[in-house]
Amino acid sequence: MSSAAPSNANDGCVGPTSQEAGKAAACAGCPNQGACSTGSFSSPAAVAAKEKEKANLHNALSEVSHVVLVLSGKGGVGKSTVSTQVAQSLSSRGYSVGLLDVTFVDRVSQEWQGARREVHQSQSGWTPVYANPNLAVMSISFLLEEGDAAVVWRGPRKNGLIKQFLTETDWGVGGLDYLIIDTPPGTSDEHISIVQYLNDARSSGQGASGAIVVTTPEEVSLADVRKELNFCKKTSVPVLGVIENMSGLQTRVSDMRFMNDESNDCTSDVLSLLKEKCPEVLNMMAITDVFPSAGTGPEGMANKFGVPYLGKLPLDPNLLKSCEDGVSFVDQYPSSPGTAPLNNIVDKLILALPVEDDEEDAMQT
């Protein structure tokens, strides 16, 4: 199938810009046959417009070293949390990072920016909001007049805004080491548009460097993520790895609350008793599985699909608090249960997608 083929095209599609569009054997029965047969996609004006779009994408991404998509088959698995904290962690290590939110439904970063209206347009394009000197954020939520407003748009308008985000955001002098794109759940039209836009740019040496796929351990999530992995395979997006989020609740006993049989809070009494009788327990970690793992879990699924398994992120209250406060979780809570796993995930991402300085350092050593 041609890379320019519509997502619902038949196998063997020659692409809408081909001179055989709508006429080839593979076109028989295709829902797009009528539109392709008109020749409107292969007209000189259409071809020129497409080439201009590709040039704009290339120019906009020419100073971005790596573009990373964060995907999930199912909503509510913590994809936006992973996106924001991976971006925060990379920026705290000194990398120049952009976080682009095209979810249309999540309010990623809105609360922790505290300055939605700082986004404005200039001759150089949209100026993103800076969470810190190394982290620039652009989100649909920054453009809404009301923070709680719903984005009730049809596909073409959403796709148009995605293209604007990709081509018109001014990420600053020197570009970016990493552009993290937080996408909607599922494999919607927005995903197809993002991949196609980046594939257009890839012909000039830029495009999606890969995807991080986020899931929770239970089967209802894994079933959707398997579709996401197949989507990546069909669209030729490299999978950088699978993250098992919310793999279990981990918290110190001293941070827990306790209730008696009458559902009355007895935390103070229990902690006092533990402090008196066995104080060492207070510093122990209490762990429980909130979501039952299905079969071999996310790691087994990753092995089956032949993609890397990046590790587990536990349910950590400090992780959510860091997102809401707009701070780097690994810096703010270095001893929290989720800090080491998140650092390991970021280590693996940097190893898979080193920036130029990293590559030069590796050659020197």
Side-chain angles (χ1 to χ4, degrees):
M1 182 181 291
S2 167
S3 61
S7 60
N8 60 342
N10 292 350
D11 290 338
C13 175
V14 296
T17 60
S18 170
Q19 294 297 322
E20 294 299 312
K23 306 171 187 176
C27 298
C30 178
N32 306 293
Q33 184 176 17
C36 291
S37 63
T38 64
S40 59
F41 297 107
S42 57
S43 68
V47 171
K50 187 65 176 177
E51 290 303 315
K52 182 179 180 180
E53 180 181 285
K54 287 184 178 181
N56 289 340
L57 284 165
H58 171 59
N59 291 336
L61 298 176
S62 61
E63 294 189 15
V64 177
S65 296
H66 299 294
V67 180
V68 179
L69 303 179
V70 181
L71 308 172
S72 69
K74 180 181 176 297
V77 299
K79 172 181 52 59
S80 293
T81 296
V82 169
S83 299
T84 56
Q85 285 305 320
V86 165
Q88 284 274 20
S89 298
L90 286 168
S91 70
S92 70
R93 298 188 187 198
Y95 293 102
S96 178
V97 184
L99 174 60
L100 178 56
D101 167 30
V102 294
T103 62
F104 294 98
V105 290
D106 293 334
R107 295 174 62 195
V108 60
S109 314
Q110 182 169 327
E111 291 86 355
W112 58 268
Q113 291 308 315
R116 289 186 301 111
R117 292 176 178 81
E118 288 186 15
V119 174
H120 65 274
Q121 282 186 297
S122 64
Q123 290 183 345
S124 57
W126 270 328
T127 302
V129 171
Y130 280 83
N132 62 56
N134 292 332
L135 177 56
V137 184
M138 190 65 185
S139 170
I140 174 62
S141 63
F142 296 161
L143 306 180
L144 301 176
E145 292 186 6
E146 298 293 335
D148 294 326
V151 182
V152 188
W153 292 354
R154 292 187 181 274
R157 189 176 180 188
K158 289 183 178 180
N159 294 339
L161 183 60
I162 290 171
K163 183 163 64 176
Q164 280 187 283
F165 275 156
L166 290 174
T167 58
E168 298 180 20
T169 302
D170 179 13
W171 296 111
V173 178
L176 299 173
D177 295 320
Y178 297 94
L179 174 58
I180 310 297
I181 303 181
D182 185 21
T183 67
T187 53
S188 63
D189 189 44
E190 293 95 284
H191 293 82
I192 298 168
S193 296
I194 294 168
V195 171
Q196 286 183 340
Y197 292 146
L198 294 177
N199 283 344
D200 285 344
R202 180 181 291 163
S203 62
S204 300
Q206 298 292 328
S209 304
I212 294 173
V213 182
V214 183
T215 185
T216 44
E218 78 280 10
E219 175 57 27
V220 68
S221 178
L222 295 179
D224 288 338
V225 170
R226 288 193 286 268
K227 298 174 185 176
E228 197 77 56
L229 293 173
N230 282 320
F231 169 83
C232 290
K233 182 177 181 180
K234 185 174 183 180
T235 55
S236 301
V237 175
V239 177
L240 301 172
V242 172
I243 293 177
E244 180 179 346
N245 196 26
M246 307 184 198
S247 63
L249 175 63
Q250 296 186 25
T251 185
R252 294 191 184 280
V253 173
S254 58
D255 294 330
M256 297 176 66
R257 293 179 58 194
F258 300 87
M259 304 188 76
N260 58 26
D261 292 340
E262 289 76 33
S263 297
N264 296 319
D265 191 312
C266 58
T267 302
S268 179
D269 292 339
V270 172
L271 294 181
S272 296
L273 182 62
L274 288 174
K275 186 176 181 180
E276 177 185 351
K277 301 296 184 180
C278 44
E280 66 276 8
V281 172
L282 293 173
N283 289 323
M284 291 184 178
M285 299 298 299
I287 303 173
T288 184
D289 292 329
V290 178
F291 300 102
S293 183
T296 55
E299 184 172 9
M301 178 189 65
N303 293 335
K304 182 178 179 180
F305 277 83
V307 299
Y309 176 70
L310 298 180
K312 300 180 179 181
L313 275 179
L315 272 169
D316 188 330
N318 290 328
L319 183 57
L320 176 60
K321 189 174 188 306
S322 297
C323 291
E324 293 181 341
D325 293 344
V327 298
S328 171
F329 166 64
V330 297
D331 292 338
Q332 195 76 8
Y333 301 98
S335 300
S336 204
T339 298
L342 182 57
N343 272 326
N344 289 336
I345 288 169
V346 174
D347 288 342
K348 292 175 182 178
L349 175 61
I350 294 171
L351 186 62
L353 299 175
V355 297
E356 187 173 337
D357 290 343
D358 292 337
E359 294 171 341
E360 292 177 357
D361 292 342
M363 292 177 64
Q364 292 175 1
T365 56

